[in-house]
Amino acid sequence: MSSYLPTLRQLRYLVAIDEHRHFGRAAEACLATQSTLSAGLQELENLLGVTLVERTKRKVLMTPLGEEVAARGRELLRGAEDIADLARAHGKPLSGRLRLGVIPTIAPFLLPRALPGLRRLYPELKLVLREDLTARLLERLAAGDLDAAVLALPYDAPEMEMEALFTDPFVLACPSGHPLAAKDSVGGADLADADLLLLEEGHCLRDHALAACSLPAPKRGEGMLGTSLGTLVQMVATGMGVTLLPRLAVEAGILAGTDLVTRPLIGGGARLLGLAWRKSSARKDEFRLLGEALFS
């Protein structure tokens, strides 16, 4: 009976074709030759007695059945990876490859500080890092392209397990001659009348910063937006307004070379940082060890 079942290799080939829609790129992703991948796909179609991929001279098209089989195959491949992870987790924790996503408002400030200690604790860990916005990291996590992700919480993703590990307070950053610089601390009422510069939409830090001061989100097209925290700092340094920064970024030196000063927020508004992983993952204990090492 088992001889009539698709193999994981055949399913991996089909999933790669579905993702890349190109035989050459799919073969490269599978570390196989194009002829080997084509033969494996043909074996799968012969085994199932159906056409999964339409081949033309200009493009590769998935049949409706091919798309459904690829989706099911993706689930089976994730399950097989979980089995391998389970076995590895019962051996030596945090060894081998671990694909970690990190959002851009955390990565450049946390990783340089945390990675040396992580290497000392777990020298056999091969960390593969990817920096991207939260929504795209969670998509990759759900697809099995990442093992875990460092995020700012909370974030609505019911299929993920999340654990908060670190509190990162917000501070006001403004020029030393700005009226708000004369205050010991600032609140939402102070910022309501200020030219508050924010990150563009898509960055969860934007929403967390506004929530920390109980401020409404500006209407679309209103206000000035930055593409990164570094851009915001330069905008504030040229007198365009004030901004809210996570203390993690300030302690990492993001204000170096400017005359900007910081002031704490009344009420101590902060964001929570932590890890997210698939609920089905067998590496939960390892991820908690990773979190402790990153945020210790």
Side-chain angles (χ1 to χ4, degrees):
M1 184 70 177
S2 60
S3 61
Y4 297 98
L5 295 177
T7 67
L8 291 177
R9 178 171 296 178
Q10 291 167 344
L11 293 174
R12 184 176 293 110
Y13 291 164
L14 179 66
V15 167
I17 293 169
D18 183 41
E19 290 176 353
H20 296 277
R21 303 298 171 109
H22 187 278
F23 275 81
R25 290 193 292 272
E28 184 178 349
C30 294
L31 302 179
T33 64
Q34 189 168 331
S35 60
T36 298
L37 181 135
S38 297
L41 174 63
Q42 188 64 60
E43 290 171 1
L44 178 61
E45 290 180 321
N46 293 341
L47 177 70
L48 299 178
V50 295
T51 299
L52 301 173
V53 178
E54 295 181 19
R55 304 157 179 83
T56 69
K57 291 184 177 180
R58 292 188 175 183
K59 63 176 70 173
V60 175
L61 299 174
M62 302 292 293
T63 67
L65 180 60
E67 290 182 343
E68 185 173 346
V69 173
R72 300 285 185 93
R74 200 172 280 110
E75 293 177 4
L76 288 171
L77 290 170
R78 283 202 298 268
E81 289 178 356
D82 287 342
I83 290 173
D85 290 341
L86 180 63
R88 183 167 54 248
H90 278 269
K92 195 168 187 178
L94 289 179
S95 61
R97 187 180 68 157
L98 194 154
R99 300 162 299 175
L100 181 69
V102 191
I103 60 174
T105 57
I106 296 177
F109 314 115
L110 172 68
L111 297 181
R113 182 186 76 177
L115 289 183
L118 184 65
R119 291 192 190 99
R120 287 193 298 270
L121 285 172
Y122 303 104
E124 296 182 32
L125 176 65
K126 308 299 181 185
L127 204 58
V128 179
L129 296 170
R130 182 176 186 88
E131 184 177 322
D132 210 334
L133 298 181
T134 303
R136 290 199 284 264
L137 289 182
L138 288 175
E139 287 176 3
R140 291 182 173 276
L141 193 54
D145 297 329
L146 293 174
D147 300 306
V150 179
L151 308 174
L153 309 176
Y155 197 93
D156 185 24
E159 71 279 14
M160 301 297 167
E161 187 168 340
M162 300 186 181
E163 187 163 319
L165 296 165
F166 183 78
T167 300
D168 188 17
F170 285 103
V171 296
L172 172 79
C174 63
S176 57
H178 193 280
L180 292 180
K183 292 180 171 287
D184 293 329
S185 59
V186 296
D190 300 310
L191 296 173
D193 298 325
D195 293 323
L196 182 61
L197 308 181
L198 301 167
L199 288 176
E200 61 187 5
E201 292 184 36
H203 291 270
C204 59
L205 184 138
R206 164 193 173 95
D207 297 327
H208 292 156
L210 290 170
C213 298
S214 301
L215 292 174
K219 295 179 181 178
R220 185 179 295 274
E222 291 185 356
M224 303 193 69
L225 307 177
T227 56
S228 69
L229 289 181
T231 301
L232 284 182
V233 167
Q234 295 307 312
M235 292 168 71
V236 174
T238 57
M240 298 173 67
V242 302
T243 194
L244 296 173
L245 297 175
R247 185 177 292 171
L248 184 69
V250 175
E251 292 178 347
I254 196 172
L255 300 182
T258 74
D259 71 339
L260 302 187
V261 296
T262 62
R263 296 293 180 262
L265 300 183
I266 296 172
R271 62 176 181 169
L272 293 175
L273 309 185
L275 277 176
W277 58 82
R278 293 183 301 278
K279 287 182 177 179
S280 62
S281 177
R283 305 179 72 178
K284 298 178 183 181
D285 291 339
E286 283 191 284
F287 297 147
R288 291 189 173 100
L289 290 176
L290 175 66
E292 291 174 5
L294 289 174
F295 292 105
S296 60

